[in-house]
Amino acid sequence: MTGQIEVVFAGFGGQGVMTAGQLLAYTAMDEGKQVAWIPSYGPEMRGGTANCTVVVSEHRIGSPIINNPGAACVFNRPSLDKFGELIRPGGLLLINSSLIDVKSGRDDVTELLVPVNDIAIRAGNPKAANMVMLAAFVAMTDIVSFDALEKMFREKLGSKKKELLEVNLKAFAEGRMLAEKEKAGGKA
Amino acid sequence: MAKKLMKGNEAIGEAAICAGALNYFAYPITPQSEVAEYLCWRLPEVGGTFVQAESEVAVGNMLFGAAASGKRVFTTSSSPGISLMQEAISYIAGAQLPVVFVNIMRGGPGLGGILPAQSDYFQAVKAGGHGDYHLIVLAPSSVQEAVDLMILAFDLADKYRNPVMLIGDGMIGQMMEAVEFPEEHRKPNDPTGSDWALTGAKNRKARITKSLFLDPVMLEENSFLLAEKYKTIKKNEIRFEKYKVTDKNRILIMAYGTMARICQTAIDELEQEGISVGLFRPVSLYPFPEQDIFTESTRKNIEKVLVVEMSVGQMIEDIERCLKGQREIDFYGRTGGIVPTPNEVKDKVRQMLGIKK
């Protein structure tokens, strides 16, 4: 990566958007980058969307308030409605197609449909949907290396629930594979 | 020490431990409750004490009593909670006791809201309680700076026997950033040799720590003593940071805390449009960098000064005082938990210079 990338993770409370963002921030920090993780902590957390923004930069980070993020990973329809239109032209939008049956309607961003819930259920843990999304995002952007992300994943999440680690890693691998296939297809 | 990714609130708690401050009294309030959540398990690990008081009024008085023992003591709260402590803060300032207060500001007045604001500037800088006194006030703009200033706050409180307040907005408290702490924790200070702490009057004359002086001559003496102390603080403890301040600047922005970082991004983006703007960020809000603000604002190309705050305009009154009418001052602020975005700051600058987008 070069310069700065900002990504919003947004969904219902309980979909693991905060955790996905933190995992990305930890990994990027470990790789020597400047990072900021900014949660929404206002009344909007009740009901509507919970979201966090992760800024990864090669330079000192200025504003933690981002007008137009470079990317968004949206887990539900209200999040798509809110953040779909805010992404910078040329940016990246990952849509959870398990729960969202529309697209953003924009032709100036790269859009990828990832059925994160379906993939997570298939892998054996419905709660791993956030990890499917994170893996797909990292595969699309190369914002951090997969080895570092997997190492951090084992460190932060593996120690608590060992029995879930393997299914989570499977979900992770599927998210990555889907995005890499899409990427290769896009280039051809 | 390796970098850690931490919420501002948690990092502030850990910084206090690094400073050897192991006595914490608090009452929970959003958006700073994570400090207490963190310290309630962390302080016992290092042999410290955390008392959750029944109210912020009680917190203030616990601090007053504990500080008189000469140990390092502190609390954290948010706007309405800090208001409840004002009586004790005045007593602590009058009795010249070192206490560190942290205010992670939320929108007001009254109960207000829980989102970030900078609307307690007057309360912190102009002394929110009664009487002739001042706090030393420090305002970090990143999680790392919150850590560094928290440690400094204890040193300044001890050095001047004066309460110090660290003020951040909700954003500083809630945001996670990479932080580094000093390798070694300070040992808790030993007040045995102190010439003022109440350590038990064995083999010496009893000491009295108080803010009550019924004899007006003595009360005036105490106030003059404090005034002399504030003069020394003004001479020694001014802190600020400049960003892209050059002779080419057409506008100089004044902002502190998170607001200053937002302005930095606006300044970077305006630079790409060929508009030169600088930023002056006071780090110590009391003592206020009066002379430096005057000097930087009156550089020859600067047409106007813009003050940006998460309030309807408080620091601007101090900027006006510093500039003595030498430059036109404009203001942009949002409040109630709404934070000005870089785009809003850019629009304001363009409008001030009469530039169409």
Side-chain angles (χ1 to χ4, degrees), chain B residues 277-335:
Chain B
V277 178
L279 170 74
F280 189 101
R281 176 171 74 92
V283 174
S284 59
L285 300 182
Y286 188 94
F288 202 59
E290 296 163 11
Q291 189 53 50
D292 299 282
I293 285 173
F294 181 83
T295 309
E296 300 301 345
S297 302
T298 49
R299 283 171 182 263
K300 64 178 183 337
N301 279 327
I302 288 175
E303 297 160 39
K304 289 173 186 171
V305 169
L306 172 64
V307 183
V308 188
E309 297 180 59
M310 290 182 224
S311 78
V312 293
Q314 300 194 9
M315 184 174 76
I316 186 173
E317 292 193 7
D318 279 334
I319 303 289
E320 282 167 350
R321 183 169 58 81
C322 297
L323 293 196
K324 298 168 188 151
Q326 292 298 305
R327 282 293 181 280
E328 193 182 313
I329 302 172
D330 210 333
F331 178 77
Y332 188 77
R334 300 293 301 270
T335 192

Side-chain angles (χ1 to χ4, degrees), chain B residues 104-125:
Chain B
I104 301 296
M105 294 179 280
R106 56 189 247 178
L111 268 184
I114 61 171
L115 292 173
Q118 295 182 318
S119 42
D120 304 345
Y121 177 93
F122 285 148
Q123 187 194 52
V125 169

